[in-house]
Amino acid sequence: MRYRAIIFASIFGLWSQSAAAQTKLGASVYLLCEGEIWTHQDGFGRSKGARGQLTIQIDPQSRALTVTTPLTGKITGDLAVTNEWYSSFPYIVSTKELFGRKVVRLHVSLNRFSANGVLMYELDDGQQFAAFIGDCKPATAKF
């Protein structure tokens, strides 16, 4: 009987360790995104996209997403994770006024299957303009 208890405890201990490992959230992931980075001029009247890259950091443990764009600079927001999407809608702490209009928020949507990424600037009047449209892939440090 004593041996059964030891074997059961050993098996249960291994099972609980593997279950805990499965529910543990991973470390930060960096995504390298390539596509069109949009610039806006004249009160967002004229917009132009140019090929470029940006890096997005996803930290599942702290539920945060960090990205740098030309108009917002480096910005961090709460991360929402579903089976299909990573998304974040961070407010810009120091509201930036450009061309007489204020950029107050950045919308980030990353499809986890297609790797498509879309970032949109939201103005104080609710209008949205593209910040980035392209594809993202896991990045690895080069040095």
Side-chain angles (χ1 to χ4, degrees):
M1 185 71 149
R2 182 174 154 214
Y3 293 112
R4 275 192 208 167
I6 291 172
I7 291 170
F8 177 76
S10 298
I11 292 171
F12 180 75
L14 288 174
W15 176 81
S16 65
Q17 285 177 357
S18 67
Q22 290 174 2
T23 59
K24 242 185 206 178
L25 295 171
S28 286
V29 174
Y30 288 86
L31 301 175
L32 179 61
C33 301
E34 296 184 39
E36 298 286 314
I37 296 177
W38 291 84
T39 57
H40 303 281
Q41 301 168 358
D42 301 328
F44 290 84
R46 291 187 321 185
S47 301
K48 183 171 101 173
R51 294 294 297 167
Q53 295 180 336
L54 56 86
T55 303
I56 297 174
Q57 179 186 2
I58 295 174
D59 187 342
Q61 285 185 331
S62 65
R63 295 278 190 201
L65 181 142
T66 302
V67 63
T68 302
T69 71
L71 296 183
T72 63
K74 186 175 183 177
I75 186 169
T76 300
D78 293 335
L79 175 66
V81 179
T82 67
N83 288 337
E84 190 175 354
W85 297 96
Y86 285 128
S87 56
S88 184
F89 305 98
Y91 282 98
I92 299 166
V93 177
S94 60
T95 302
K96 303 209 178 229
E97 188 167 321
L98 301 160
F99 321 112
R101 300 178 82 182
K102 292 181 182 177
V103 179
V104 296
R105 198 167 170 172
L106 183 69
H107 293 240
V108 180
S109 296
L110 304 168
N111 187 294
R112 297 177 68 188
F113 294 105
S114 68
N116 293 92
V118 175
L119 283 70
M120 302 290 288
Y121 297 119
E122 181 180 327
L123 305 183
D124 59 350
D125 63 5
Q127 288 188 331
Q128 293 185 11
F129 294 88
F132 171 83
I133 299 171
D135 295 315
C136 300
K137 61 184 176 185
T140 56
K142 298 292 182 185
F143 51 90

